[in-house]
Amino acid sequence: MDFDLDNLKTAGLGLGAALSVGLNGWLAFGRTWVRTKASNANDSQQINMLQFLSDQVKELKTENTHLRDEIEERDQRIREYWKTITETESRLQIVESQLEALKQQNESLREELRELVAASTNMSCELARIKNAERMPR
């Protein structure tokens, strides 16, 4: 077997080139595999974060609904309180106006009573004079 140095050099260069291409391919595959693995981990993490945020949104919607119901109940109670207050104010105004009318009527009755007392006193005096006049001979 005759090995020629040129053939050996050519074979060595071919083998070196093949090893270089193989090594570059293996390194490229490794980088791609690591990048894919990191990308998958990142995707999983993003999916988990989205699921977490979705769960939080659901919880906040539930809490929001609950708070809206509470606010509606409070608004209803406030409306009822205002209705009661308005009715009470109306009744109070009626009572106050009736009280004012009764005060005026009472004042009028007092005036009439004074006049009646004065008239009664005058009648008593007049009656006493008439009795005295009858007792006295003329």
Side-chain angles (χ1 to χ4, degrees):
M1 297 196 92
D2 211 0
F3 283 106
D4 181 359
L5 190 59
D6 283 337
N7 284 339
L8 193 57
K9 283 183 184 176
T10 304
L13 285 174
L15 182 62
L19 284 175
S20 174
V21 169
L23 183 61
N24 281 334
W26 182 254
L27 289 175
F29 171 75
R31 283 193 304 268
T32 304
W33 182 69
V34 168
R35 191 177 329 123
T36 302
K37 189 174 179 182
S39 178
N40 287 343
N42 190 26
D43 289 348
S44 295
Q45 195 174 21
Q46 286 180 353
I47 288 170
N48 289 340
M49 180 58 78
L50 288 174
Q51 184 62 42
F52 173 75
L53 291 175
S54 176
D55 292 344
Q56 275 194 328
V57 166
K58 287 177 186 175
E59 288 176 16
L60 290 174
K61 282 183 179 179
T62 302
E63 183 179 354
N64 190 7
T65 302
H66 175 71
L67 291 174
R68 285 179 187 266
D69 291 344
E70 280 185 16
I71 289 171
E72 183 60 34
E73 288 175 15
R74 288 180 185 169
D75 284 349
Q76 183 61 33
R77 272 187 292 195
I78 289 171
R79 280 188 223 101
E80 289 173 7
Y81 290 156
W82 275 112
K83 181 181 175 185
T84 302
I85 288 170
T86 304
E87 289 173 355
T88 304
E89 283 181 345
S90 297
R91 289 178 185 161
L92 179 61
Q93 287 176 352
I94 291 169
V95 167
E96 285 177 343
S97 65
Q98 290 175 344
L99 179 63
E100 189 60 36
L102 288 173
K103 283 180 180 179
Q104 290 174 356
Q105 185 180 11
N106 192 21
E107 191 59 39
S108 173
L109 290 173
R110 281 186 185 160
E111 188 59 37
E112 285 182 31
L113 182 63
R114 283 188 204 111
E115 290 174 5
L116 286 173
V117 168
S120 175
T121 304
N122 287 341
M123 272 184 124
S124 293
C125 289
E126 190 66 32
L127 187 59
R129 248 185 295 152
I130 290 174
K131 283 186 181 179
N132 281 339
E134 285 180 0
R135 284 188 200 160
M136 292 180 125
R138 285 193 198 169

Coordinates of all heavy atoms in Angstrom, one line a residue, residues 11-69:
A11 N -6.6 13.7 2.6 CA -7.5 13.0 3.5 C -7.5 13.7 4.9 O -8.6 13.8 5.5 CB -7.0 11.6 3.6
G12 N -6.3 14.1 5.3 CA -6.3 14.8 6.6 C -7.1 16.1 6.6 O -7.8 16.4 7.5
L13 N -6.9 16.8 5.5 CA -7.7 18.1 5.3 C -9.2 17.8 5.3 O -10.0 18.5 5.9 CB -7.3 18.9 4.1 CG -5.9 19.6 4.2 CD1 -5.5 20.2 2.9 CD2 -6.0 20.7 5.3
G14 N -9.6 16.7 4.5 CA -11.0 16.4 4.4 C -11.5 15.9 5.8 O -12.6 16.3 6.2
L15 N -10.7 15.1 6.5 CA -11.1 14.7 7.8 C -11.2 15.9 8.8 O -12.2 16.0 9.6 CB -10.1 13.6 8.4 CG -10.5 13.0 9.7 CD1 -11.8 12.3 9.7 CD2 -9.4 12.1 10.2
G16 N -10.3 16.8 8.7 CA -10.3 18.0 9.6 C -11.5 18.8 9.3 O -12.2 19.4 10.2
A17 N -11.8 19.0 8.0 CA -13.0 19.8 7.5 C -14.2 19.1 8.0 O -15.2 19.8 8.5 CB -13.0 20.0 6.0
A18 N -14.3 17.8 7.9 CA -15.5 17.1 8.3 C -15.7 17.2 9.8 O -16.8 17.4 10.3 CB -15.4 15.6 7.9
L19 N -14.6 17.1 10.6 CA -14.7 17.2 12.0 C -15.1 18.6 12.4 O -15.9 18.9 13.3 CB -13.3 16.9 12.7 CG -13.0 15.4 12.8 CD1 -11.6 15.2 13.3 CD2 -14.0 14.7 13.6
S20 N -14.5 19.6 11.7 CA -14.9 21.0 11.9 C -16.4 21.3 11.6 O -17.1 21.9 12.4 CB -14.0 21.9 11.0 OG -14.4 23.3 11.2
V21 N -16.8 20.8 10.5 CA -18.3 20.9 10.2 C -19.1 20.2 11.2 O -20.1 20.7 11.7 CB -18.5 20.4 8.7 CG1 -20.0 20.3 8.5 CG2 -17.9 21.4 7.7
G22 N -18.7 19.0 11.6 CA -19.5 18.2 12.6 C -19.5 18.9 13.9 O -20.5 19.0 14.6
L23 N -18.3 19.5 14.3 CA -18.3 20.2 15.6 C -19.1 21.4 15.5 O -19.9 21.7 16.5 CB -16.8 20.5 15.9 CG -16.5 21.2 17.2 CD1 -17.0 20.3 18.4 CD2 -15.1 21.6 17.4
N24 N -19.0 22.2 14.4 CA -19.9 23.4 14.3 C -21.3 23.0 14.3 O -22.2 23.7 14.9 CB -19.5 24.1 13.0 CG -18.3 25.0 13.1 OD1 -17.9 25.4 14.2 ND2 -17.6 25.2 12.0
G25 N -21.7 21.9 13.6 CA -23.1 21.5 13.6 C -23.5 21.1 15.0 O -24.7 21.4 15.5
W26 N -22.6 20.4 15.8 CA -23.0 20.0 17.1 C -23.1 21.2 18.0 O -24.1 21.3 18.8 CB -21.9 19.0 17.7 CG -22.2 18.6 19.1 CD1 -21.7 19.0 20.2 CD2 -23.2 17.7 19.4 NE1 -22.2 18.4 21.3 CE2 -23.2 17.5 20.8 CE3 -24.2 16.9 18.7 CZ2 -24.1 16.7 21.5 CZ3 -25.0 16.1 19.4 CH2 -25.0 16.0 20.8
L27 N -22.3 22.2 17.9 CA -22.4 23.4 18.7 C -23.6 24.2 18.3 O -24.3 24.7 19.2 CB -21.1 24.3 18.5 CG -19.8 23.8 19.1 CD1 -18.7 24.7 18.7 CD2 -20.0 23.7 20.6
A28 N -24.0 24.3 17.0 CA -25.2 24.9 16.6 C -26.4 24.2 17.2 O -27.4 24.8 17.6 CB -25.3 25.0 15.1
F29 N -26.4 22.9 17.1 CA -27.5 22.1 17.7 C -27.6 22.4 19.2 O -28.7 22.5 19.7 CB -27.3 20.6 17.4 CG -28.3 19.8 18.2 CD1 -29.6 19.7 17.7 CD2 -27.9 19.0 19.3 CE1 -30.5 18.9 18.4 CE2 -28.8 18.3 20.0 CZ -30.1 18.2 19.6
G30 N -26.5 22.4 19.9 CA -26.5 22.7 21.3 C -27.1 24.0 21.6 O -27.9 24.2 22.5
R31 N -26.6 25.1 20.8 CA -27.2 26.4 21.1 C -28.7 26.4 20.8 O -29.4 27.0 21.6 CB -26.4 27.4 20.2 CG -25.1 27.8 20.6 CD -24.6 29.0 19.9 NE -24.5 28.8 18.4 CZ -23.5 28.4 17.7 NH1 -22.4 28.1 18.4 NH2 -23.5 28.2 16.4
T32 N -29.1 25.8 19.7 CA -30.5 25.7 19.4 C -31.3 25.0 20.5 O -32.4 25.4 20.9 CB -30.7 25.1 18.0 OG1 -30.0 25.7 17.0 CG2 -32.2 25.0 17.7
W33 N -30.7 23.9 21.0 CA -31.4 23.1 22.0 C -31.5 23.9 23.3 O -32.6 24.0 23.9 CB -30.6 21.8 22.2 CG -31.2 20.9 23.2 CD1 -32.4 20.2 23.1 CD2 -30.7 20.6 24.5 NE1 -32.7 19.5 24.2 CE2 -31.6 19.7 25.1 CE3 -29.6 21.0 25.3 CZ2 -31.5 19.2 26.4 CZ3 -29.4 20.5 26.5 CH2 -30.4 19.6 27.1
V34 N -30.4 24.6 23.7 CA -30.4 25.4 24.9 C -31.4 26.6 24.7 O -32.2 26.9 25.6 CB -29.0 26.0 25.2 CG1 -29.0 27.0 26.3 CG2 -28.1 24.8 25.7
R35 N -31.4 27.2 23.5 CA -32.3 28.4 23.3 C -33.8 27.9 23.3 O -34.6 28.5 23.9 CB -32.0 29.0 21.9 CG -32.7 30.3 21.7 CD -32.4 31.0 20.4 NE -31.0 30.8 19.9 CZ -30.7 30.3 18.7 NH1 -31.7 29.9 17.9 NH2 -29.5 30.1 18.4
T36 N -34.0 26.7 22.7 CA -35.4 26.2 22.7 C -35.8 25.8 24.1 O -37.0 26.1 24.5 CB -35.4 24.9 21.8 OG1 -35.0 25.3 20.5 CG2 -36.8 24.3 21.8
K37 N -34.9 25.2 24.9 CA -35.2 24.9 26.3 C -35.5 26.1 27.1 O -36.5 26.2 27.9 CB -34.0 24.1 26.9 CG -34.3 23.5 28.2 CD -33.2 22.7 28.7 CE -33.4 22.1 30.1 NZ -32.3 21.3 30.6
A38 N -34.7 27.2 26.9 CA -34.9 28.4 27.6 C -36.2 29.1 27.2 O -37.0 29.6 28.0 CB -33.7 29.4 27.4
S39 N -36.5 29.0 25.9 CA -37.7 29.6 25.3 C -38.9 28.8 25.9 O -39.9 29.4 26.2 CB -37.7 29.5 23.8 OG -38.9 30.0 23.3
N40 N -38.8 27.5 26.0 CA -39.9 26.7 26.5 C -40.1 27.0 28.0 O -41.3 27.1 28.4 CB -39.7 25.2 26.3 CG -39.8 24.8 24.9 OD1 -40.4 25.5 24.1 ND2 -39.3 23.6 24.6
A41 N -39.0 27.2 28.7 CA -39.2 27.6 30.1 C -39.8 28.9 30.3 O -40.7 29.2 31.1 CB -37.8 27.5 30.8
N42 N -39.4 29.9 29.4 CA -39.9 31.2 29.4 C -41.4 31.2 29.1 O -42.2 31.8 29.7 CB -39.2 32.1 28.4 CG -39.6 33.6 28.6 OD1 -40.0 34.0 29.7 ND2 -39.4 34.3 27.5
D43 N -41.8 30.4 28.0 CA -43.2 30.2 27.7 C -44.0 29.6 28.8 O -45.1 30.1 29.1 CB -43.3 29.3 26.4 CG -42.8 30.0 25.1 OD1 -42.6 31.2 25.2 OD2 -42.6 29.3 24.1
S44 N -43.4 28.6 29.5 CA -44.1 28.0 30.6 C -44.3 29.0 31.7 O -45.4 29.1 32.3 CB -43.4 26.8 31.2 OG -43.3 25.8 30.2
Q45 N -43.3 29.8 32.0 CA -43.4 30.8 33.0 C -44.5 31.9 32.6 O -45.2 32.3 33.5 CB -42.0 31.5 33.2 CG -41.9 32.3 34.4 CD -40.5 32.8 34.6 OE1 -39.7 32.9 33.7 NE2 -40.1 33.1 35.8
Q46 N -44.5 32.3 31.3 CA -45.5 33.3 30.9 C -46.9 32.7 31.0 O -47.8 33.3 31.4 CB -45.2 33.7 29.5 CG -44.0 34.6 29.4 CD -43.7 35.1 27.9 OE1 -44.3 34.6 27.0 NE2 -42.8 36.0 27.8
I47 N -47.0 31.4 30.7 CA -48.3 30.7 30.8 C -48.8 30.7 32.2 O -49.9 31.0 32.5 CB -48.3 29.3 30.1 CG1 -48.2 29.4 28.6 CG2 -49.5 28.5 30.6 CD1 -47.9 28.1 27.9
N48 N -47.8 30.3 33.1 CA -48.2 30.3 34.5 C -48.6 31.7 35.0 O -49.5 31.9 35.8 CB -47.0 29.8 35.4 CG -46.8 28.3 35.2 OD1 -47.7 27.6 34.7 ND2 -45.6 27.9 35.5
M49 N -47.8 32.7 34.6 CA -48.2 34.1 35.0 C -49.5 34.5 34.4 O -50.3 35.1 35.1 CB -47.1 35.1 34.5 CG -47.3 36.5 34.8 SD -47.5 36.8 36.6 CE -45.8 36.8 37.1
L50 N -49.8 34.1 33.2 CA -51.1 34.5 32.6 C -52.2 33.7 33.4 O -53.3 34.3 33.6 CB -51.2 34.1 31.1 CG -50.3 35.0 30.2 CD1 -50.4 34.4 28.8 CD2 -50.9 36.4 30.2
Q51 N -52.0 32.5 33.7 CA -53.0 31.8 34.5 C -53.2 32.4 35.9 O -54.3 32.6 36.3 CB -52.6 30.3 34.7 CG -53.6 29.5 35.4 CD -54.9 29.3 34.6 OE1 -54.9 29.2 33.4 NE2 -56.0 29.4 35.3
F52 N -52.1 32.8 36.5 CA -52.2 33.5 37.8 C -53.0 34.8 37.7 O -53.9 35.1 38.5 CB -50.8 33.8 38.3 CG -50.8 34.6 39.6 CD1 -51.1 34.1 40.8 CD2 -50.4 36.0 39.5 CE1 -51.1 34.9 41.9 CE2 -50.3 36.8 40.6 CZ -50.7 36.2 41.9
L53 N -52.6 35.6 36.6 CA -53.4 36.9 36.4 C -54.8 36.6 36.1 O -55.7 37.4 36.5 CB -52.7 37.7 35.3 CG -51.3 38.2 35.6 CD1 -50.7 38.9 34.4 CD2 -51.4 39.2 36.8
S54 N -55.1 35.6 35.3 CA -56.5 35.2 35.0 C -57.3 34.9 36.2 O -58.4 35.3 36.4 CB -56.5 34.1 34.0 OG -57.8 33.7 33.7
D55 N -56.6 34.1 37.1 CA -57.3 33.8 38.4 C -57.5 35.0 39.2 O -58.6 35.2 39.9 CB -56.4 32.8 39.2 CG -56.4 31.4 38.5 OD1 -57.2 31.1 37.6 OD2 -55.5 30.6 38.9
Q56 N -56.5 35.9 39.2 CA -56.7 37.1 40.0 C -57.8 38.0 39.4 O -58.6 38.6 40.2 CB -55.4 38.0 40.0 CG -54.4 37.5 41.1 CD -53.3 38.6 41.3 OE1 -52.9 39.2 40.3 NE2 -52.8 38.7 42.5
V57 N -57.9 38.1 38.1 CA -59.0 38.8 37.5 C -60.4 38.2 37.9 O -61.3 39.0 38.2 CB -58.8 38.8 35.9 CG1 -60.1 39.3 35.2 CG2 -57.7 39.7 35.6
K58 N -60.5 36.9 37.9 CA -61.7 36.2 38.3 C -62.1 36.6 39.7 O -63.2 36.9 40.1 CB -61.6 34.7 38.1 CG -61.7 34.3 36.7 CD -61.5 32.8 36.6 CE -61.4 32.3 35.2 NZ -61.2 30.9 35.0
E59 N -61.1 36.5 40.6 CA -61.3 36.9 42.0 C -61.7 38.3 42.2 O -62.6 38.6 43.0 CB -60.0 36.6 42.8 CG -59.7 35.2 43.1 CD -58.4 35.0 43.8 OE1 -57.8 35.9 44.4 OE2 -57.8 33.8 43.8
L60 N -61.0 39.2 41.4 CA -61.4 40.6 41.5 C -62.8 40.9 41.0 O -63.5 41.7 41.5 CB -60.3 41.5 40.8 CG -59.0 41.5 41.5 CD1 -58.0 42.3 40.6 CD2 -59.0 42.2 42.8
K61 N -63.2 40.2 39.9 CA -64.5 40.3 39.4 C -65.6 39.9 40.4 O -66.6 40.5 40.6 CB -64.7 39.5 38.1 CG -64.1 40.2 36.9 CD -64.4 39.4 35.6 CE -63.8 40.0 34.4 NZ -64.0 39.3 33.2
T62 N -65.3 38.8 41.1 CA -66.2 38.3 42.1 C -66.3 39.3 43.3 O -67.4 39.6 43.8 CB -65.7 36.9 42.7 OG1 -65.6 36.0 41.6 CG2 -66.6 36.4 43.8
E63 N -65.1 39.8 43.7 CA -65.1 40.8 44.8 C -65.8 42.1 44.3 O -66.6 42.7 45.1 CB -63.7 41.1 45.2 CG -63.6 42.1 46.3 CD -62.2 42.4 46.8 OE1 -61.2 41.8 46.2 OE2 -62.0 43.3 47.6
N64 N -65.6 42.5 43.1 CA -66.3 43.7 42.5 C -67.8 43.5 42.5 O -68.5 44.4 42.9 CB -65.8 43.9 41.1 CG -66.2 45.2 40.6 OD1 -66.8 46.1 41.3 ND2 -65.9 45.5 39.3
T65 N -68.3 42.3 42.1 CA -69.7 42.0 42.1 C -70.2 42.1 43.6 O -71.3 42.7 43.8 CB -70.0 40.6 41.5 OG1 -69.4 40.6 40.2 CG2 -71.4 40.3 41.5
H66 N -69.5 41.5 44.5 CA -69.9 41.5 45.9 C -70.0 42.9 46.4 O -71.0 43.3 47.1 CB -68.9 40.7 46.7 CG -69.2 40.7 48.2 ND1 -70.3 40.1 48.8 CD2 -68.6 41.3 49.2 CE1 -70.3 40.3 50.1 NE2 -69.2 41.1 50.4
L67 N -69.0 43.7 46.1 CA -69.0 45.1 46.6 C -70.1 45.9 45.9 O -70.7 46.8 46.6 CB -67.6 45.8 46.3 CG -66.5 45.3 47.1 CD1 -65.2 45.9 46.6 CD2 -66.7 45.5 48.6
R68 N -70.4 45.7 44.6 CA -71.5 46.4 44.0 C -72.8 46.0 44.6 O -73.7 46.9 44.8 CB -71.6 46.0 42.5 CG -70.5 46.7 41.7 CD -70.6 46.2 40.2 NE -69.5 46.7 39.4 CZ -69.5 47.9 38.7 NH1 -70.6 48.6 38.7 NH2 -68.5 48.2 38.1
D69 N -73.0 44.7 45.0 CA -74.2 44.3 45.7 C -74.3 45.0 47.1 O -75.4 45.5 47.4 CB -74.2 42.8 45.9 CG -74.4 42.0 44.6 OD1 -74.8 42.6 43.6 OD2 -74.1 40.8 44.6

